[in-house]
Amino acid sequence: MNGLTEILQTVLVATQQSADQSIVPLKVLWNHVSKLDLVEALTFISFGVVCLFYGWRIFKILVTICFGLIGLGVGVWVNDRLVTGNVVWLATFSVLVFAIFSIPLMRWGVTALGAVSGGILTAGVWLAVGLPQEYVWAGGLVGLIAGGMISFIVFKIAVILFTSLGGSTLMTVGLLAVMYGYMINRQKLETLVFEHQWFLPAMILAPMAVGIFMQHRLIKTSQDWSV
């Protein structure tokens, strides 16, 4: 009987520990946001607003930057796992390769970014409505597939999706940094971030929805925009 009680207690403790662990690395993300100074935060906000409303005009540059950043991550990873040499040279080479190849493969790059944006969008909605974090991958997978299919069929939707998401994310990071450093009580803001699962997704998805609407209208009325 005592053995059964110990097993039950162990299961309960393990369940509680797994429930306490967050799938989304909020502490890591918040650590970076809270360290931004005012100039960096305002830069994030300014560039985010441009991407949010006028990303359709500069999407080719944004795609090249995104793939350059992917190349940077690949270069650092390869250096750590295989080469273990001077990371600067390999990372620089990887950035250049990815950025250069993104130009002739622009359509495929935009489609891939649109699919990823769709996945992030539905994963954010999943978290915002309070569904379990451990299954957030299911919500993201739905958006990834749907976003990829729509982006492959309608190129403009892919452009609008990934530029609106990128602009909204940059703007939200800057706003949170300004709020944390200068506007409201830090403890209250941290309570919203860490104890209310809907807060961060809502902060990103609300401006993203506005950006999607505005970009769609601007593209329709623009005569000189072309893929």
Side-chain angles (χ1 to χ4, degrees):
M1 191 69 178
N2 291 334
L4 179 60
T5 303
E6 291 178 0
I7 292 174
L8 290 174
Q9 289 177 347
T10 303
V11 171
L12 288 173
V13 170
T15 304
Q16 182 64 38
Q17 288 177 349
S18 62
D20 292 338
Q21 292 177 352
S22 177
I23 302 299
V24 181
L26 284 179
K27 290 185 178 180
V28 177
L29 298 174
W30 186 250
N31 186 44
H32 291 292
V33 172
S34 61
K35 289 181 179 179
L36 292 176
D37 59 30
L38 182 60
V39 175
E40 292 171 333
L42 292 178
T43 302
F44 271 65
I45 294 173
S46 302
F47 192 62
V49 170
V50 173
C51 294
L52 188 64
F53 296 112
Y54 292 99
W56 54 281
R57 285 195 175 274
I58 58 172
F59 76 94
K60 294 181 181 179
I61 298 175
L62 296 177
V63 171
T64 303
I65 292 174
C66 288
F67 275 85
L69 292 175
I70 294 173
L72 176 63
V74 171
V76 173
W77 182 84
V78 170
N79 182 80
D80 291 341
R81 297 298 179 91
L82 302 176
V83 181
T84 64
N86 190 340
V87 68
V88 175
W89 293 106
L90 184 57
T92 303
F93 175 76
S94 182
V95 167
L96 291 175
V97 169
F98 273 73
I100 291 171
F101 274 94
S102 69
I103 297 173
L105 300 175
M106 184 64 62
R107 274 188 171 272
W108 292 101
V110 171
T111 302
L113 291 173
V116 172
S117 299
I120 295 174
L121 173 62
T122 53
V125 172
W126 182 281
L127 294 175
V129 298
L131 295 174
Q133 283 195 26
E134 57 267 26
Y135 299 113
V136 69
W137 60 268
L141 184 61
V142 172
L144 182 70
I145 296 172
M149 293 177 64
I150 295 173
S151 298
F152 186 78
I153 298 171
V154 185
F155 184 77
K156 290 181 180 180
I157 292 180
V159 173
I160 293 174
L161 268 178
F162 94 84
T163 55
S164 297
L165 175 63
S168 177
T169 302
L170 289 173
M171 191 174 68
T172 299
V173 169
L175 285 173
L176 287 174
V178 172
M179 292 166 62
Y180 181 78
Y182 304 96
M183 293 181 64
I184 66 176
N185 184 274
R186 293 184 174 184
Q187 186 174 359
K188 290 182 179 179
L189 185 58
E190 289 181 345
T191 300
L192 285 172
V193 171
F194 291 106
E195 297 185 12
H196 297 277
Q197 184 172 302
W198 56 268
F199 180 71
L200 279 183
M203 285 283 292
I204 295 176
L205 296 181
M208 182 181 177
V210 175
I212 291 173
F213 175 75
M214 291 301 299
Q215 286 200 54
H216 177 66
R217 295 200 59 175
L218 290 171
I219 288 178
K220 286 179 64 177
T221 58
S222 178
Q223 300 297 325
D224 59 344
W225 189 81
S226 61
V227 176

